[in-house]
Amino acid sequence: MSGTYLGMPAFPEAAATATANGRLRANLTHATHTIRDKRAAAVGELTDWAALRAAGAAVKDRTLRHLDHYLTQAEEAVTAAGGTVHWAADAREANRIVTRLVRETGEREVVKVKSMATQEIGLNAALAGAGVRAYETDLAELIVQLGDDLPSHILVPAIHRNRQEIREIFTERMADWGRPAPVGLSDRPGELAEAARLHLREKFLRAKVGISGANFLVAETGTLVVVESEGNGRMCVTLPETLISVVGIEKVVPTWRDLEVYLQLLPRSSTAERMNPYTSTWTGTTDSDGPRAFHLVLLDNGRTDALADTVGRQALRCIRCSACLNVCPVYERAGGHAYGSAYPGPIGAILTPQLRGTTSEVDASLPYASSLCGACYEVCPVAIDIPEVLVHLRERVVQGGPATVRGQRTRLKPAKGHAAERAAMRAARWALDRPGVLRAGQRVAARTRRLHPGRLPGPGRAWTDTREVPAVPAESFRDWWRRTGGREDR
Amino acid sequence: MSSRDLVLGRIRRALADVPLTEEPADVHVPRDYLSTHAPADATEMLAEHLADYRALVHRTDAAGLPGLVADLLAARGAQTVVVPPGLPPEWLAAADAARVADAAETTARELDAVDSVVTGCALAIAETGTIVLDGSPDQGRRRITLVPDHHICVVRVPEQVVDSVPQALPRLAPARPLTWISGPSATSDIELSRVEGVHGPRTLEVVLLRG
């Protein structure tokens, strides 16, 4: 894929472009509303959902508070089962490791299971740079790859495309990547799925190297779990001779038993199914069944920075279900590309600024890509309080303060764009501490109220771009109270 | 410094707020969720939930099984069928389709030319409509239930049926490669609507074998 998130505009500009695109908005509204009701029904079937959710959050909290312990335990178990474990501090190192491992097989192509981690690190571009072609095999990832596009949703990366657009992409682009689309392809979803089956079949059958992520990594057994629907995941983890899995360090769960919580929470939250069609688990290598070599690449890439923030840490509980995207009014209107990273929607708005820091314009704008309505928190199967983290990150952007960046403790400077806001808040604090000053100020404001402009001048202008300046009453509450003692009839 | 030490060092510094004396088990995990949602009849629920996701469900007993399997294969027009090494021979006793052994040297391309596969299973989960394969001799290598387009899976009821995911995990060995199957291959990637049939077997037939 040649698309890149680098150099993306800040959220407000990107969102303004996206919301003006009528087709995009219609596609997103249709898709997110379809899944919302289904999710609610699937969750409603389980009377103990709240208890599962509490357990899901607690297991992740236990893991995160003792992450070093569980990672070394997982490493030992994977190694004992015949796998090889690699550690990558950042994206570049992970890409270097995977590229080297592919090169060592002598192969020039790999088949890939949809993986957020490899999207995050830009693995496909790195492999292409080394002369290795990576074939995305998830249907939506295939649509994105063929369309030279970027993913816009965690679960359904091509959610911004409707069936007519998908038909066009398949018809025009499949031939460039292998078997062309069938002649006379219609836009029926069943026919489109069939076209993907035919196109990818030959790639699966000849593949020697598979690359995956993982939904879970069980520390006590060294077992990896991949949850999917189409069977492309099974193809990639079963048929090749070499399997390389790139897994974020927060994907570890302590015990085999813990899967009983997540295998109930994830499918219902994600695709609104009682269970997704296929779940594959494997532990190292197995004699004469599946790959002969298995490599696990454990990825940090900013996760330890998020871990160091005691409020932001909860974002690492995320199991990538995407329920928060599907209920978010901002996501529904702005679409996933506006978030400028592999992780769109509410979870992206708290995860990306923690993984990448808040120094770039787009990352500093992400904590504001929310109305704080709280729908995301309500549906989150691991109870991540997304609004709490958003507010916390806004504070970090505006005020600066201590943070960990690439493993180093540092003190962030306040963001430049917020000087006027900070000055206003300082002035407000000073006035609110001094009742006489406040009273005098309010009286001046009341007497001059007919002269107030509809839009603020100077640094306040941006604030009134999207808001009305509140009307100042003729009499302040304090003066009214003093005059009437609170009696309505006076 | 190795990247391993670098990452582990970062983790330890990041967790400065965690008391040194705290053990993993000190972090309380409430497990007051249900171990089963107590279906009245687990086998009936399994059948219903499998059918919800477009698996074709059949019921028979030991005497009827060979005839049923033969009929299902014939109805598909299956000329060839992959057979795991430990499949009870009587299951296919009445079938005409040519047997293909599940051999280590068989390539994926060869399997792609095979019409059907017949297997047993490790267990089935009623609440989620799931069958689980663990590579035992009556199930074979993972790829034989993946590449052919038609999978017939025999579940011994009621003994192989558990109510729920929490009841399933303790009965499964994590060291074995597992495949959990809930209906035929499907996708929700086009406008978030589910359609059946992408890369895995597009037809899944589950035979509930009453002992």
Side-chain angles (χ1 to χ4, degrees):
Chain A
M1 187 182 66
S2 65
T4 171
Y5 292 106
L6 288 177
M8 294 276 282
F11 186 84
E13 288 89 71
T17 314
T19 47
N21 181 338
R23 175 146 76 166
L24 174 73
R25 287 190 57 176
N27 292 355
L28 280 171
T29 300
H30 170 65
T32 55
H33 285 250
T34 305
I35 197 78
R36 270 181 214 178
D37 299 343
K38 287 193 203 163
R39 189 210 73 97
V43 166
E45 269 189 16
L46 297 188
T47 51
D48 56 339
W49 186 259
L52 282 166
R53 183 174 184 247
V59 169
K60 285 283 183 177
D61 283 350
R62 172 184 284 181
T63 315
L64 291 170
R65 286 175 75 85
H66 297 276
L67 192 56
D68 50 341
H69 166 77
Y70 288 118
L71 283 173
T72 47
Q73 193 186 10
E75 179 187 36
E76 251 173 66
V78 169
T79 310
T84 309
V85 178
H86 311 261
W87 298 71
D90 55 26
R92 279 179 61 180
E93 187 174 19
N95 287 332
R96 211 163 49 230
I97 292 167
V98 176
T99 305
R100 175 174 56 78
L101 292 171
V102 175
R103 277 209 169 131
E104 282 170 7
T105 66
E107 294 296 317
R108 310 292 285 177
E109 61 176 41
V110 301
V111 286
K112 278 188 69 202
V113 192
K114 180 176 137 32
S115 138
M116 295 307 297
T118 60
Q119 186 69 47
E120 172 192 328
I121 63 176
L123 177 64
N124 292 5
L127 287 172
V132 175
R133 210 165 201 205
Y135 295 117
E136 292 291 351
T137 64
D138 170 74
L139 177 52
E141 289 281 9
L142 176 70
I143 296 164
V144 167
Q145 186 171 49
L146 294 177
D148 215 1
D149 197 357
L150 284 167
S152 69
H153 188 276
I154 290 175
L155 174 73
V156 190
I159 195 170
H160 56 290
R161 300 289 197 183
N162 64 25
R163 58 189 74 188
Q164 290 86 20
E165 294 171 273
I166 296 168
R167 192 198 75 85
E168 272 167 44
I169 292 169
F170 279 11
T171 306
E172 284 167 22
R173 299 303 309 276
M174 268 186 173
D176 299 340
W177 288 80
R179 182 174 174 151
V183 176
L185 180 67
S186 84
D187 62 10
R188 265 196 332 108
E191 255 187 65
L192 296 170
E194 165 78 13
R197 176 184 172 99
L198 294 170
H199 178 76
L200 289 171
R201 198 75 175 178
E202 58 178 36
K203 295 180 170 53
F204 288 134
L205 296 181
R206 68 169 189 247
K208 294 283 186 284
V209 182
I211 295 181
S212 82
N215 294 94
F216 306 101
L217 162 61
V218 181
E220 68 171 351
T221 60
T223 306
L224 282 98
V225 182
V226 164
V227 168
E228 52 130 357
S229 296
E230 296 165 16
N232 64 307
R234 292 179 68 193
M235 293 278 181
C236 293
V237 306
T238 312
L239 296 184
E241 288 166 5
T242 302
L243 173 60
I244 304 166
S245 300
V246 181
V247 180
I249 52 174
E250 84 285 16
K251 293 282 155 215
V252 68
V253 295
T255 65
W256 180 247
R257 183 190 175 185
D258 292 327
L259 293 177
E260 73 188 18
V261 178
Y262 299 108
L263 290 180
Q264 294 193 77
L265 289 172
L266 180 54
R268 289 177 198 259
S269 298
S270 187
T271 49
E273 291 164 309
R274 295 189 185 101
M275 188 63 84
N276 48 289
Y278 298 129
T279 298
S280 295
T281 77
W282 71 95
T283 306
T285 54
T286 307
D287 280 344
S288 75
D289 183 0
R292 288 200 287 266
F294 170 59
H295 296 275
L296 170 63
V297 181
L298 292 170
L299 177 72
D300 178 353
N301 203 36
R303 285 161 177 74
T304 49
D305 294 349
L307 188 68
D309 185 322
T310 52
V311 178
R313 180 181 294 164
Q314 57 185 309
L316 297 176
R317 287 185 202 146
C318 176
I319 55 174
R320 310 281 189 264
C321 72
S322 69
C324 63
L325 280 64
N326 299 335
V327 297
C328 178
V330 176
Y331 175 85
E332 183 189 331
R333 286 160 183 84
H337 292 151
Y339 294 81
S341 93
Y343 303 103
I347 186 63
I350 62 168
L351 199 55
T352 307
Q354 295 201 82
L355 296 181
R356 300 201 300 212
T358 48
T359 45
S360 81
E361 204 193 342
V362 59
D363 294 342
S365 72
L366 284 174
Y368 296 88
S370 166
S371 64
L372 299 180
C373 78
C376 48
Y377 175 41
E378 217 166 282
V379 297
C380 178
V382 288
I384 301 169
D385 191 341
I386 294 176
E388 181 193 17
V389 182
L390 283 167
V391 170
H392 170 73
L393 291 173
R394 287 180 186 187
E395 194 178 297
R396 182 195 285 181
V397 169
V398 175
Q399 297 187 344
T404 305
V405 179
R406 282 177 288 282
Q408 299 297 317
R409 289 260 168 92
T410 178
R411 178 159 281 277
L412 295 175
K413 280 190 227 145
K416 282 201 185 86
H418 296 273
E421 200 174 332
R422 272 196 308 280
M425 288 300 163
R426 263 200 307 275
R429 191 167 58 210
W430 181 79
L432 289 167
D433 276 350
R434 293 163 179 77
V437 171
L438 183 64
R439 189 165 52 240
Q442 284 177 335
R443 285 181 185 160
V444 169
R447 282 187 199 128
T448 58
R449 68 198 191 102
R450 297 201 190 286
L451 306 172
H452 294 178
R455 296 188 63 185
L456 293 177
R461 181 186 292 274
W463 194 81
T464 48
D465 275 349
T466 51
R467 301 173 182 86
E468 300 285 326
V469 174
V472 175
E475 185 180 31
S476 76
F477 174 79
R478 292 153 61 94
D479 284 346
W480 171 78
W481 185 268
R482 177 169 295 191
R483 183 166 61 77
T484 64
R487 286 173 53 184
E488 293 275 2
D489 52 345
R490 298 212 186 164
Chain B
M1 197 198 306
S2 73
S3 293
R4 179 183 190 276
D5 293 341
L6 178 67
V7 174
L8 288 172
R10 284 177 181 176
I11 291 171
R12 285 170 191 139
R13 279 197 305 281
L15 294 171
D17 61 305
V18 177
L20 284 172
T21 52
E22 182 180 298
E23 296 290 324
D26 295 341
V27 184
H28 176 61
V29 173
R31 299 220 187 242
D32 42 8
Y33 51 86
L34 303 172
S35 65
T36 164
H37 297 83
D41 182 333
T43 301
E44 280 313 305
M45 181 182 265
L46 174 68
E48 200 180 298
H49 287 179
L50 280 165
D52 269 357
Y53 288 145
R54 309 285 185 274
L56 306 172
V57 180
H58 311 275
R59 297 156 202 262
T60 188
D61 56 15
L65 183 64
L68 175 63
V69 171
D71 288 348
L72 296 177
L73 290 171
R76 282 278 298 191
Q79 304 288 313
T80 47
V81 57
V82 196
V83 185
L87 196 80
E90 64 274 17
W91 290 9
L92 280 171
D96 293 331
R99 275 61 156 173
V100 177
D102 169 26
E105 61 276 13
T106 309
T107 64
R109 211 170 277 284
E110 286 162 353
L111 278 175
D112 194 37
V114 178
D115 297 316
S116 302
V117 58
V118 179
T119 70
C121 70
L123 56 79
I125 307 169
E127 288 181 3
T128 57
T130 305
I131 53 174
V132 182
L133 310 182
D134 70 356
S136 291
D138 62 340
Q139 298 150 49
R141 291 175 177 80
R142 282 173 282 176
R143 60 190 189 182
I144 67 166
T145 52
L146 172 62
V147 181
D149 203 16
H150 177 220
H151 180 193
I152 299 173
C153 180
V154 178
V155 183
R156 293 184 173 87
V157 298
E159 61 267 32
Q160 284 193 308
V161 183
V162 299
D163 292 351
S164 64
V165 174
Q167 287 185 357
L169 284 161
R171 290 179 53 167
L172 295 166
R176 290 176 161 280
L178 302 181
T179 307
W180 298 42
I181 299 171
S182 309
S185 163
T187 183
S188 305
D189 279 358
I190 301 165
E191 299 175 6
L192 269 173
S193 300
R194 185 181 157 115
V195 286
E196 277 78 25
V198 199
H199 305 294
R202 286 179 290 187
T203 307
L204 172 67
E205 306 206 59
V206 178
V207 177
L208 304 179
L209 173 64
R210 210 162 276 282

